[in-house]
């Protein structure tokens, strides 16, 4: 409880008016707040300043009627809870200047986020009507509001579909082209969108089979014999161009050259001239004697009996100049034969048969031999030669010393 010694005076005269004691006041009555005289400015100024904290002398800031703020404040300290006190004891708790915020009107809607298709727009309001002050609450709710908006349809660029399967080859033989396609429909371009970039077709080389295989021409005429007598060899050839094989067509089967023996008659010696000494052997057995000397199964001629079929060697019975000649064909591997004199290599023939076709090779040499010299062949890759008359070894005395 508080005692109120209230004096009402006439301001102009300064005469003290009647005295109101606390016993005559009802403290629960909100009217007992100097209103008996303060309303007409006849109250004790110190007490009236407590009645009107703002000093305005108006009744805009008031406590809730019928609520004893002093009593409640002493018991519960209601002023500590500002936002409860402002509604019941606004004046008592000194909250006359407290202002809660209030929203302004909504602003204008913004432009849509995108110029085409679906997007959003926004408008704003401000917490300025009034702005919060002296501990007042901020405005409740959201400052921004969103709204869906739709512009013109957006351009849709085209995209390719998956490629189709490869089509059939455009030709039935030889080299051709196969094609596959795709479409610009995944999706179709629309609303001014770009068309698909690139080609709708793709091509690749294709092959089914050769259009035709090669065929041999007719055999050419036999060539000249390598010897005029005592046995020699001759050859003829043909070409794989009747017709030539097409691209991926098969080449002609068989050999492009053919060999045969010739001039097998014995050379006639003139009176007072050198003796006739010559030999020709063909058709290898496939067997190699010592130091890879090949054996031959057919002795065409052996004038003078200087060639030994058992050893494959020719032993010169007369000193002089001799001619020796070797020829063979092979395939699938490299084959070589050396013409040797007393185991010394004098000349060689080489066939580079690295594929399935037959390759021919030959070599000849004029050698001066003394009586008893040994002349023979030493061969490698001999298992790949043609074991017929196209493989031969021959020699003859050309001039005796």
């Amino acid at each position: 409880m508080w005692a109120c010694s209230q004096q009402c005076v006439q301001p102009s005269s300064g005469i003290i008016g009647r005295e109101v004691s606390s016993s005559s006041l009802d403290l629960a009555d909100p009217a007992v707040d100097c209103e008996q005289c303060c309303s007409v400015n006849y109250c004790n100024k110190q007490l009236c300043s407590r009645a009107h904290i703002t000093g305005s002398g108006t009744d805009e800031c008031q406590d809730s009627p019928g609520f004893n703020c002093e009593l409640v404040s002493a018991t519960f300290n209601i002023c500590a809870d500002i936002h409860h006190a402002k509604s019941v004891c606004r004046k008592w708790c000194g909250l006359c200047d407290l202002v809660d915020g209030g929203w302004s009107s909504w602003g204008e809607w913004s432009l849509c986020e995108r110029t085409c298709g679906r997007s959003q727009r926004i408008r704003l309001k401000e917490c300025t009507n009034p702005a919060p002050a002296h501990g007042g609450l901020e405005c409740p709710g959201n400052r921004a509001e969103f709204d869906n908006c739709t512009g013109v349809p957006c351009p849709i660029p085209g995209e390719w579909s998956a490629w189709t399967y490869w089509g059939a080859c455009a030709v039935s033989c030889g080299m051709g082209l196969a094609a596959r396609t795709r479409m610009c429909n995944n999706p179709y371009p629309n609303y001014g969108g770009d068309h698909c970039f690139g080609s709708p077709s793709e091509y690749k080389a294709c092959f089914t089979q050769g259009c035709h295989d090669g065929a041999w021409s007719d055999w050419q005429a036999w060539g000249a014999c390598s010897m005029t007598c005592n046995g020699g060899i001759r050859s003829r050839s043909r070409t794989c161009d009747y017709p030539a094989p097409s691209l991926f067509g098969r080449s002609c089967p068989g050999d492009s050259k053919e060999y045969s023996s010739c001039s097998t008659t014995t050379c006639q010696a003139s009176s007072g001239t050198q003796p006739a000494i010559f030999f020709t052997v063909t058709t290898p057995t496939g067997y190699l004697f010592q130091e890879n000397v090949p054996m031959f199964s057919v002795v065409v001629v052996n004038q003078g009996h200087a060639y030994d079929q058992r050893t494959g060697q020719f032993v010169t019975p007369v000193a002089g100049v001799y001619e020796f000649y070797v020829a063979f064909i092979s395939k699938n591997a490299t084959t070589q034969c050396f013409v040797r004199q007393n185991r010394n290599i004098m000349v060689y023939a080489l066939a580079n048969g690295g594929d399935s076709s037959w390759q021919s090779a030959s070599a000849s040499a004029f050698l001066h031999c003394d009586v008893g010299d040994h002349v023979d062949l030493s061969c490698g890759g001999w298992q790949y030669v043609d074991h017929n008359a196209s493989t031969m070894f021959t020699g003859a005395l050309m001039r005796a010393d």
Side-chain angles (χ1 to χ4, degrees):
M1 287 294 193
W2 58 277
C4 179
S5 178
Q6 183 174 310
Q7 293 180 341
C8 293
V9 298
Q10 293 181 358
S12 60
S13 64
I15 300 174
I16 298 176
R18 67 182 180 88
E19 182 175 345
V20 181
S21 67
S22 59
S23 59
S24 63
L25 296 177
D26 185 356
L27 296 181
D29 185 355
V32 181
D33 201 10
C34 297
E35 291 186 7
Q36 292 94 332
C37 57
C38 288
S39 61
V40 292
N41 203 18
Y42 285 171
C43 189
N44 182 302
K45 296 300 183 183
Q46 184 178 2
L47 189 59
C48 286
S49 65
R50 180 173 178 80
H52 298 284
I53 295 176
T54 60
S56 63
T58 66
D59 293 333
E60 293 179 357
C61 181
Q62 295 295 329
D63 294 331
S64 178
F67 198 89
N68 191 333
C69 292
E70 183 180 16
L71 177 62
V72 175
S73 178
T75 305
F76 298 107
N77 192 18
I78 190 173
C79 296
D81 184 359
I82 295 175
H83 297 293
H84 179 63
K86 70 183 179 184
S87 62
V88 292
C89 295
R90 185 181 189 90
K91 180 178 178 181
W92 173 262
C93 292
L95 302 177
C96 292
D97 294 332
L98 180 144
V99 179
D100 289 337
W103 289 115
S104 66
S105 299
W106 285 107
E108 296 294 329
W109 284 106
S110 69
L111 297 176
C112 289
E113 292 176 335
R114 299 172 57 187
T115 58
C116 66
R118 293 181 59 84
S119 60
Q120 284 188 326
R121 61 180 181 171
I122 187 174
R123 66 177 180 175
L124 302 174
K125 58 184 177 179
E126 303 296 336
C127 190
T128 59
N129 190 31
H134 305 291
L137 294 174
E138 292 289 334
C139 297
N142 295 321
R143 175 174 176 259
E145 184 178 32
F146 297 89
D147 183 40
N148 293 329
C149 54
T150 303
V152 298
C154 292
I156 300 175
E159 295 288 344
W160 289 114
S161 67
W163 287 103
T164 61
Y165 292 107
W166 286 105
C169 198
V171 297
S172 59
C173 67
M175 186 69 71
L177 289 176
R180 64 178 182 176
T181 59
R182 57 182 178 176
M183 297 183 65
C184 187
N185 63 355
N186 188 34
Y188 288 105
N190 205 351
Y191 303 115
D194 294 333
H195 196 272
C196 300
F197 177 78
S199 174
S201 301
E202 188 176 43
Y203 301 90
K204 69 174 181 178
C206 57
F207 167 75
T208 55
Q209 60 183 359
C211 290
H212 57 80
D213 297 333
W216 290 115
S217 65
D218 294 333
W219 285 106
Q220 297 176 355
W222 286 104
C225 191
S226 62
M227 305 287 288
T228 57
C229 59
N230 294 338
I233 60 171
R234 62 180 181 173
S235 66
R236 63 179 181 176
S237 61
R238 58 182 177 175
T239 55
C240 186
D241 59 0
Y242 196 72
S246 66
L247 181 64
F248 300 111
R250 289 176 294 183
S251 186
C252 302
D255 304 320
S256 61
K257 279 193 173 183
E258 187 177 41
Y259 300 87
S260 71
S261 301
C262 57
S263 299
T264 58
T265 58
T266 303
C267 294
Q268 300 296 321
S270 301
S271 57
T273 59
Q274 65 188 27
I277 301 172
F278 51 87
F279 75 95
T280 298
V281 292
T282 66
T283 314
T285 64
Y287 173 72
L288 296 176
F289 195 58
Q290 296 176 355
E291 299 182 6
N292 296 322
V293 177
M295 302 288 99
F296 292 88
S297 61
V298 177
V299 178
V300 178
V301 62
N302 190 14
Q303 183 69 34
H305 304 288
Y307 178 79
D308 188 347
Q309 189 179 12
R310 296 169 301 173
T311 62
Q313 291 184 328
F314 175 82
V315 181
T316 56
V318 176
V321 175
Y322 290 79
E323 180 184 14
F324 296 94
Y325 178 84
V326 60
F328 58 87
I329 60 174
S330 68
K331 65 178 179 179
N332 297 326
T334 299
T335 302
Q336 59 183 0
C337 276
F338 302 101
V339 178
R340 303 190 308 172
Q341 181 181 8
N342 299 327
R343 296 183 177 176
N344 295 315
I345 297 173
M346 310 306 295
V347 69
Y348 72 92
L350 175 67
N352 192 10
D355 52 31
S356 59
S357 61
W358 290 99
Q359 302 291 325
S360 62
S362 62
S364 63
F366 289 94
L367 303 177
H368 182 272
C369 298
D370 294 327
V371 176
D373 282 354
H374 289 71
V375 179
D376 58 14
L377 300 176
S378 180
C379 302
W382 196 245
Q383 65 270 32
Y384 300 107
V385 300
D386 188 18
H387 294 170
N388 58 31
S390 62
T391 301
M392 63 175 298
F393 179 39
T394 185
L397 174 64
M398 306 302 294
R399 181 179 60 81
D401 288 349

